Amino acid sequence: LCQNACSAEILSDAYSDLRAVRDGPCAQTAVQAAQLARRGVRGFARPIEGQRGLYAMVSGGRHVPGRLTAGLGQRFEGQFVGFKAWPACRDAHPFIQAVLAGMQRDRLDPAQIAALRASVPQRSLIICEPADEKRRPRAAIDAKFSLYFTVATALRYGKVDLGSFAPAALSEAATLALADRVHYVVSRDAAHIDVTLRDGSMRRWEAGALYGSPENPLSEAALVAKFMDCGRAAQRPVAATALQDISRRLLALEQVPDMRDLLRQL
């Protein structure tokens, strides 16, 4: 299924091993198809618009032929793609961002906080329910899809990275105690968090434009830090100096004379 398309069926099985690499098989198939074509292997003349092609299978022929090619060569969709600032469900990102910005501004100690109430849109309830399971994640995928755990982690550490979802991190008592102070209400307002302090005073933490989106892109330093964090988690360890060299070359890809050298490093 994943070799053919990124099906939303991934949402039905939280513990699928393929879930974390669901885009990979699509890309792998595309590269394989390109290599076969390069070697002269003939495919179909009209795989997309043919009588029994993709359009016919997916839409029963009810499609607008020019939509996919509109702006071809002029509009490049890649410029509208953002980077995920944190390795968690995208629905949790506005609340992580709100916490990090709010804590930086207000300089609070988490011990000062009595409760946090997040205003969550209906479409994002996947990070809230079932609440008991989300508060006590059994696996990394649970924690990444948990409003409670991600907010608590951001509060406690001032960051959310791959290490935040390591097995030992899921059972840290201090993080789970903070998660118990996080609640939510369904709201149509922009995502925000209302914070009640132990002295009775209130704060409102808002995210604004999502960090990592085209409207608020990651800085180059943040991109490199993210790349380094991912590289350190690789199954085959890569030295920090090598990761830094790879990141420099990736940022100046137009100047790389031979991609094979770079791919060998990866």
Side-chain angles (χ1 to χ4, degrees):
L1 179 63
C2 288
Q3 285 179 321
N4 176 260
C6 277
S7 167
E9 183 60 22
I10 58 170
L11 299 175
S12 303
D13 189 343
Y15 300 100
S16 164
D17 294 320
L18 276 177
R19 182 172 184 157
V21 292
R22 61 188 181 270
D23 308 313
C26 284
Q28 183 181 40
T29 301
V31 170
Q32 183 182 36
Q35 290 176 337
L36 287 169
R38 182 179 183 181
R39 287 162 174 78
V41 177
R42 190 177 186 280
F44 303 105
R46 302 174 70 215
I48 307 297
E49 73 278 18
Q51 185 179 357
R52 298 177 180 84
L54 182 66
Y55 286 153
M57 286 194 304
V58 175
S59 68
R62 298 184 298 275
H63 60 278
V64 181
R67 182 167 293 176
L68 285 178
T69 55
L72 186 65
Q74 299 172 344
R75 178 182 172 90
F76 299 94
E77 295 295 336
Q79 65 183 313
F80 305 108
V81 176
F83 288 90
K84 291 182 74 173
W86 305 284
C89 173
R90 180 80 76 172
D91 288 321
H93 283 211
F95 305 102
I96 296 172
Q97 182 172 330
V99 168
L100 295 178
M103 288 291 281
Q104 184 176 31
R105 183 185 66 244
D106 295 336
R107 302 294 181 182
L108 297 176
D109 186 312
Q112 296 175 262
I113 298 173
L116 303 97
R117 188 182 69 174
S119 291
V120 181
Q122 182 76 35
R123 67 176 185 277
S124 298
L125 292 184
I126 190 173
I127 63 173
C128 302
E129 297 294 342
D132 290 343
E133 293 181 16
K134 298 290 184 178
R135 290 184 191 280
R136 296 294 183 271
R138 293 182 296 161
I141 191 68
D142 288 329
K144 292 177 180 183
F145 278 74
S146 169
L147 168 74
Y148 315 99
F149 188 86
T150 52
V151 164
T153 298
L155 274 173
R156 187 176 176 207
Y157 291 105
K159 65 178 182 178
V160 177
D161 57 16
L162 289 175
S164 303
F165 305 104
L170 303 185
S171 58
E172 290 183 349
T175 303
L176 298 179
L178 282 173
D180 287 337
R181 299 183 212 167
V182 181
H183 309 275
Y184 81 93
V185 293
V186 179
S187 173
R188 293 183 179 180
D189 297 333
H192 63 269
I193 298 178
D194 289 319
V195 183
T196 303
L197 302 185
R198 296 194 183 280
D199 63 8
S201 62
M202 301 281 295
R203 302 286 191 279
R204 172 164 288 193
W205 292 345
E206 298 175 310
L210 187 63
Y211 190 42
S213 69
E215 295 75 28
N216 185 15
L218 265 66
S219 66
E220 184 175 298
L223 278 173
V224 171
K226 183 178 177 69
F227 176 79
M228 297 283 289
D229 188 37
C230 291
R232 286 190 292 267
Q235 186 173 12
R236 291 179 296 175
V238 182
T241 52
L243 289 172
Q244 289 169 344
D245 179 59
I246 294 169
S247 67
R248 282 195 295 268
R249 299 181 73 184
L250 288 172
L251 288 169
L253 206 56
E254 299 86 351
Q255 300 172 25
V256 176
D258 191 333
M259 284 296 295
R260 287 173 294 187
D261 291 337
L262 180 56
L263 291 174
R264 275 192 285 269
Q265 283 188 281
L266 295 171

